């Protein structure tokens, strides 16, 4: 059986909208709600939330086979306000492994606890070339020296507090989405690209009048970037869990933007040999371009579930993402390969 056709326009449209829905870890609800609303058009699906706020989508079918699950996360790197400085600017502390040079001069939104948002940008504290000269570029780009300049009148801690800003407020960096020649560039494609893969797979199957071979749960996680996203919320009846998350592209990696990747081992150790081989077999059967790879600095939501005591066969697949946790880029070839792989898995 050949796989259903992927609606390319729909995929890109959904992904761009999701990328433009800011969702740093701890403040990912807008993206969770967006995914739920999008999927609610499919009457085959039912929805629930974990207490932690993750979205669990169930596609139930009649089958003697035990259910399976796939997970991807909508939360991204971000920051919170660590301190309000005496000049009214903000010191940040990052959430997850952001690299400060990659967001220098980037626009940000500060989300206050009262539900307002205030605009600003990230600068080093020696930003003016006319004040600091060449020495400005020698300032370390780190938690201590990066600050947010707010686009509102404030020159003191008191004035900034009067704007409603407080320590602990959530900060999101602008996604800067661009689509060119099949490439999609944004922060953060990790892991919104793979959420779009899951949504596109569901839509393509529904459009083609197809259902999964067994009941499947889609776990849309909201705390992956801090290591415990899918630790809870995978039903105990699930026999296999396929984590769908970005593949590592760069020097020494087998992955690239034009293939999907099967991760054999990452920082958390090896995945499940049997499920890996099942996925290899499906890729080969359907001519899905994929590569096996090993990641050096990487943990996944599937591993979080394993460490929390989850008893499933576990695998990790995903599209190659260039410059991950930086200004990321993917290509439709790798993205389509991943969507096709998900469909092949669901239909088998
Ligand atoms: Zn990720």
């Amino acid at each position: 059986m050949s796989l259903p056709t992927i609606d390319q326009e729909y995929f890109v449209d959904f992904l761009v909208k999701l990328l433009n829905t800011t969702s740093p870890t701890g403040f990912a609800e807008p993206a969770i709600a967006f995914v739920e609303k999008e999927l609610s058009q499919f009457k085959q699906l039912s929805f629930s939330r974990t207490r932690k706020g993750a979205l669990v989508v169930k596609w139930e079918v009649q089958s003697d086979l035990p259910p399976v699950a796939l997970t991807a996360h909508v939360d991204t790197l971000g920051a919170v306000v660590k301190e309000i400085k005496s000049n009214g600017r903000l010191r940040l502390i990052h959430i997850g492994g952001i690299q400060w040079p990659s967001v220098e001069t980037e626009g940000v939104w500060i989300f206050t606890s009262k539900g307002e948002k205030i605009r600003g940008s990230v600068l080093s504290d020696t930003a003016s070339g006319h004040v600091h000269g060449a020495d400005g570029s020698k300032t370390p780009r780190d938690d201590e020296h990066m600050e947010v300049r707010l686009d509102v009148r404030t020159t003191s801690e008191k004035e900034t507090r009067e704007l409603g800003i407080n320590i602990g407020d959530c900060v999101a960096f602008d996604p800067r989405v661009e689509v060119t020649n099949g490439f999609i560039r944004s922060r953060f494609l990790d892991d919104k690209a793979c959420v779009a893969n899951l949504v596109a797979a569901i839509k393509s199957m529904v459009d083609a009048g197809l259902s999964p071979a067994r009941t499947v749960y889609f776990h849309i996680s909201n705390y992956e970037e801090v290591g415990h996203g899918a630790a809870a919320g995978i039903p105990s009846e699930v026999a296999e869990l396929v984590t769908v998350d970005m593949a590592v592209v760069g020097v020494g990696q087998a992955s690239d933007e034009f293939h999907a990747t099967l991760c054999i081992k990452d920082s958390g150790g090896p995945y499940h040999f049997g499920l890996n081989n099942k996925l290899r077999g499906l890729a080969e059967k359907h001519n899905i371009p994929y590569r096996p790879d090993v990641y050096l600095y990487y943990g996944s939501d599937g591993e979080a579930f394993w460490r929390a005591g989850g008893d499933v066969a576990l695998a990790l697949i995903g599209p190659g993402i260039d410059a991950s946790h930086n200004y990321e880029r993917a290509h439709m070839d790798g993205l389509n390969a991943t969507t096709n792989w998900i469909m092949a898995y669901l239909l088998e």
Side-chain angles (χ1 to χ4, degrees):
M1 185 180 67
S2 64
L3 297 173
T5 309
I6 303 165
D7 184 338
Q8 305 288 309
E9 216 172 299
Y10 173 84
F11 175 89
V12 173
D13 181 65
F14 172 78
L15 176 55
V16 168
K17 284 179 182 155
L18 183 58
L19 289 165
N20 282 316
T21 308
T22 52
S23 55
T25 309
F27 203 73
E29 172 57 26
I32 290 277
F34 176 72
V35 175
E36 181 170 13
K37 183 159 181 283
E38 183 61 32
L39 288 175
S40 64
Q41 67 180 294
F42 304 116
K43 300 304 164 214
Q44 297 82 346
L45 308 178
S46 60
F47 302 88
S48 61
R49 294 288 188 97
T50 66
R51 296 185 187 96
K52 193 157 99 179
L55 175 65
V56 181
V57 182
K58 186 180 187 185
W59 191 345
E60 189 167 12
V61 297
Q62 291 305 319
S63 169
D64 294 334
L65 299 167
V68 295
L70 295 101
T71 185
H73 64 96
V74 289
D75 65 307
T76 68
L77 304 184
V80 298
V81 177
K82 167 70 177 62
E83 189 183 325
I84 303 171
K85 298 169 75 169
S86 58
N87 62 2
R89 297 188 177 197
L90 310 176
R91 185 166 286 161
L92 304 181
I93 186 84
H94 55 89
I95 298 169
I98 193 102
Q99 303 179 42
W100 282 123
S102 75
V103 290
E104 184 170 4
T105 77
E106 191 59 275
V108 292
W109 288 106
I110 318 297
F111 296 94
T112 74
S113 56
K114 297 245 158 51
E116 282 171 40
K117 57 180 197 175
I118 293 166
R119 194 70 178 144
S121 54
V122 180
L123 297 167
S124 84
D125 59 8
T126 55
S128 172
H130 293 93
V131 174
H132 301 281
D135 282 351
S137 62
K138 293 180 192 154
T139 301
R141 270 53 181 171
D142 58 16
D143 291 351
E144 194 187 335
H145 295 281
M146 301 304 282
E147 63 183 16
V148 173
R149 174 187 62 189
L150 298 165
D151 296 333
V152 280
R153 283 181 179 240
T154 171
T155 54
S156 70
E157 180 187 347
K158 182 169 173 285
E159 287 174 321
T160 296
R161 283 188 180 277
E162 282 166 5
L163 295 166
I165 290 176
N166 209 333
I167 290 163
D169 286 351
C170 194
V171 180
F173 305 105
D174 284 0
R176 268 202 286 146
V177 186
E178 277 192 47
V179 182
T180 308
N181 295 331
F183 288 100
I184 301 178
R185 172 149 60 81
S186 178
R187 66 166 62 92
F188 290 100
L189 290 159
D190 172 13
D191 185 29
K192 289 174 171 171
C194 300
V195 175
N197 290 139
L198 293 177
V199 170
I202 292 167
K203 182 182 189 297
S204 304
M205 286 172 58
V206 170
D207 285 353
L210 297 170
S211 296
R214 38 163 94 185
T215 294
V216 55
Y217 292 90
F218 302 92
H219 182 277
I220 309 299
S221 152
N222 59 340
Y223 272 92
E224 193 276 345
E225 290 293 359
V226 291
H228 59 74
I234 306 291
S236 58
E237 58 185 359
V238 164
E240 295 173 356
L241 174 60
V242 177
T243 311
V244 191
D245 206 337
M246 54 146 283
V248 179
V249 173
V251 177
Q253 296 301 132
S255 306
D256 69 20
E257 293 161 278
F258 313 107
H259 293 72
T261 292
L262 176 72
C263 177
I264 309 299
K265 177 200 176 300
D266 62 18
S267 308
Y271 286 83
H272 187 272
F273 185 79
L275 185 53
N276 284 348
N277 272 355
K278 179 175 172 180
L279 288 161
R280 285 181 208 260
L282 289 169
E284 274 146 31
K285 177 175 165 188
H286 293 280
N287 291 316
I288 296 166
Y290 85 100
R291 290 182 171 161
D293 206 356
V294 169
Y295 309 153
L296 298 181
Y297 308 101
Y298 197 109
S300 77
D301 250 346
E303 277 163 359
F305 184 59
W306 259 3
R307 288 188 194 289
D311 182 21
V312 289
L314 178 67
L316 169 61
I317 62 171
I321 302 287
D322 189 66
S324 55
H325 285 188
N326 202 304
Y327 194 21
E328 300 172 338
R329 194 182 71 170
H331 189 272
M332 287 305 293
D333 286 358
L335 295 165
N336 284 330
T338 304
T339 304
N340 278 326
W341 214 348
I342 292 165
M343 290 195 288
Y345 177 70
L346 291 176
L347 291 165
E348 189 77 2

